[in-house]
Amino acid sequence: MPPSLSEILPEDGTAGTLVGRLWRKGKPAGPAVVAVRAEGVFDLSATVPTMADLCNAPDPAGLARNSPGERIGPLQDLVGDLLAPVDLQAIKAAGVTFAVSLLERLIEEHAKGDPGRAEQVRGELNTIIGADVSTIKPGSPEADALKKTLMARGAWSPYLEVGIGPYAEIFTKAPPMAAVGYGAEIGIRSDSDWNNPEPEVTLIVSAKGQIVGATLGNDVNLRDIEGRSALLLGIAKDNNASCAIGPFIRLFDSTFTLDDVRQAKVELEVTGPDQFRLRGQSDLSKISRDPTDLVRQAMGGAHQYPDGMALMTGTLFAPTEPRKPGGTGFTHMVGDLVSIRSPKLGTLTNKVNHCDKIPPWTFGTTALMRNLAARGLLR
């Protein structure tokens, strides 16, 4: 049974400028850039064949609102065809942007990826650090003083370097075209025993470095693998279907601005086949680096993205609740239903499976270009 529109749309429905991508059936079939309006879903591909084209326009929201497009049908009938709402954009992520996530990364590192040692290490680290890192501005004199103290005690870490140092952790979450969208299966590796969802606001950034909108993302993390070594970040983060984005991009307009992003609340619910239920919340107002600072560190004079960028901003959420009596903490099970919701951005829902059981990613940039050409959409 398809979800009700109130379950997927923002609280104010279609009042904002909502755009996305869906797979249009037909001959030839292919992805379409769409606007989601009160009257239904409209195909904008004749004007903007890719989402990168739309987000790099001088006025993305105005273009999306004023392009009439072809009405495909009501959203209720098309939910099953939704794709991730980005295509050619680089998919980047920022890590260790909240104090809680900083401590959890330190725990992973010191526990060497062993969830059984997590609680012991958590207590040890609180004693060693001896400071409330949530009050420390990254790159400040206070942060530098704490760094020197911890280095003298042999307690410095790569995670502290990016958590309170001058440079943010920015990494590639997935290649362009690799993200999955609303309703798709999201992947964990079968050789991971300690992993969790990471519900995050995802910034949509133009090639000029301007934030033009936002959406939701799930930056799935394999904690045991990353905990063994920070150099295993690629294996811990970038796997088949391990990145979900959606359901839609909400472009900046009079109803939604960067200040709304700065104050965004993100709620998470995981419902398992074992009847386990996990709830949590992330609050972007508690982030240690402003979204504009993260964007400046990700792209600029030293690094360009000519098709723009989707940038996950990190999460405050780090689940420690045992899944089983006497267990060592939360980890995913195959069949978990993960729902991420924010009032102004709607709901992103995915079901967990092993990466090698999910159909492999085959529709990349070359396939997209050929498909658009066959449909007469490239000019």
Side-chain angles (χ1 to χ4, degrees):
M1 182 176 178
S4 66
L5 295 189
S6 63
E7 292 175 337
I8 184 172
L9 289 171
E11 285 186 353
D12 57 355
T14 56
T17 307
L18 303 178
V19 294
R21 294 172 64 244
L22 61 77
W23 188 264
R24 287 206 68 174
K25 300 179 175 70
K27 295 184 179 180
V33 177
V34 298
V36 181
R37 301 167 179 161
E39 301 81 15
V41 178
F42 291 79
D43 188 347
L44 307 182
S45 300
T47 303
V48 279
T50 70
M51 186 61 75
D53 286 318
L54 175 58
C55 294
N56 279 326
D59 179 11
L63 182 59
R65 287 194 306 268
N66 297 325
S67 299
E70 172 195 354
R71 187 178 185 276
I72 305 172
L75 176 61
Q76 187 74 34
D77 295 345
L78 300 167
V79 169
D81 299 322
L82 288 175
L83 304 170
V86 293
D87 43 39
L88 299 179
Q89 293 97 331
I91 303 174
K92 310 293 286 187
V96 201
T97 53
F98 293 85
V100 170
S101 64
L102 166 59
L103 292 174
E104 289 302 313
R105 297 294 87 79
L106 287 169
I107 289 163
E108 291 167 11
E109 180 185 45
H110 285 260
K112 305 298 182 185
D114 178 3
R117 293 195 60 233
E119 282 303 319
Q120 175 188 344
V121 170
R122 186 172 286 110
E124 293 171 353
L125 283 173
N126 286 332
T127 300
I128 291 172
I129 293 174
D132 182 1
V133 293
S134 67
T135 65
I136 296 174
K137 180 177 175 59
S140 67
E142 292 79 11
D144 187 57
L146 177 59
K147 175 178 180 177
K148 291 175 181 176
T149 299
L150 294 176
M151 288 182 71
R153 301 181 66 175
W156 194 245
S157 157
Y159 293 106
L160 283 162
E161 182 66 53
V162 297
I164 63 175
Y167 300 115
E169 179 191 19
I170 306 288
F171 58 92
T172 297
K173 173 59 183 178
M177 301 289 296
V180 298
Y182 179 92
E185 289 185 311
I186 192 165
I188 56 172
R189 289 174 61 109
S190 58
D191 55 357
S192 170
D193 298 318
W194 186 21
N195 47 69
N196 58 241
E198 292 195 354
E200 305 183 12
V201 171
T202 301
L203 306 174
I204 304 300
V205 187
S206 74
K208 294 182 178 180
Q210 297 175 327
I211 305 172
V212 299
T215 184
L216 295 171
N218 188 348
D219 177 16
V220 177
N221 185 33
L222 310 183
R223 300 187 66 179
D224 48 356
I225 291 178
E226 184 180 354
R228 291 173 204 158
S229 170
L231 298 180
L232 293 175
L233 184 67
I235 295 176
K237 290 288 190 179
D238 183 7
N239 299 288
N240 182 40
S242 65
C243 174
I245 298 176
F248 313 109
I249 294 170
R250 185 164 187 168
L251 295 170
F252 287 165
D253 59 14
S254 61
T255 72
F256 184 62
T257 67
L258 183 56
D259 283 337
D260 289 305
V261 170
R262 290 186 173 112
Q263 299 299 318
K265 305 290 192 297
V266 180
E267 297 177 350
L268 171 81
E269 182 174 45
V270 178
T271 305
D274 58 348
Q275 306 308 308
F276 177 86
R277 180 166 290 183
L278 174 73
R279 290 188 175 95
Q281 187 182 79
S282 187
D283 182 349
L284 215 69
S285 70
K286 296 180 180 178
I287 200 168
S288 59
R289 302 179 192 268
D290 190 76
T292 56
D293 180 41
L294 293 176
V295 170
R296 281 194 297 268
Q297 296 213 32
M299 65 188 296
H303 208 320
Q304 298 81 41
Y305 294 103
D307 295 303
M309 169 181 71
L311 176 62
M312 296 184 173
T313 54
T315 185
L316 177 67
F317 180 70
T320 59
E321 179 183 346
R323 182 152 199 169
K324 298 178 181 178
T328 55
F330 174 81
T331 192
H332 268 310
M333 287 181 60
V334 169
D336 278 350
L337 188 67
V338 182
S339 289
I340 299 169
R341 181 164 182 83
S342 188
K344 291 258 183 175
L345 297 174
T347 303
L348 173 63
T349 299
N350 302 93
K351 183 170 283 190
V352 173
N353 200 352
H354 285 145
C355 295
D356 57 353
K357 302 300 182 184
I358 297 172
W361 172 44
T362 58
F363 195 92
T365 303
T366 299
L368 174 63
M369 293 298 105
R370 288 174 176 161
N371 181 276
L372 295 176
R375 292 157 60 199
L377 295 174
L378 293 185
R379 296 182 295 277

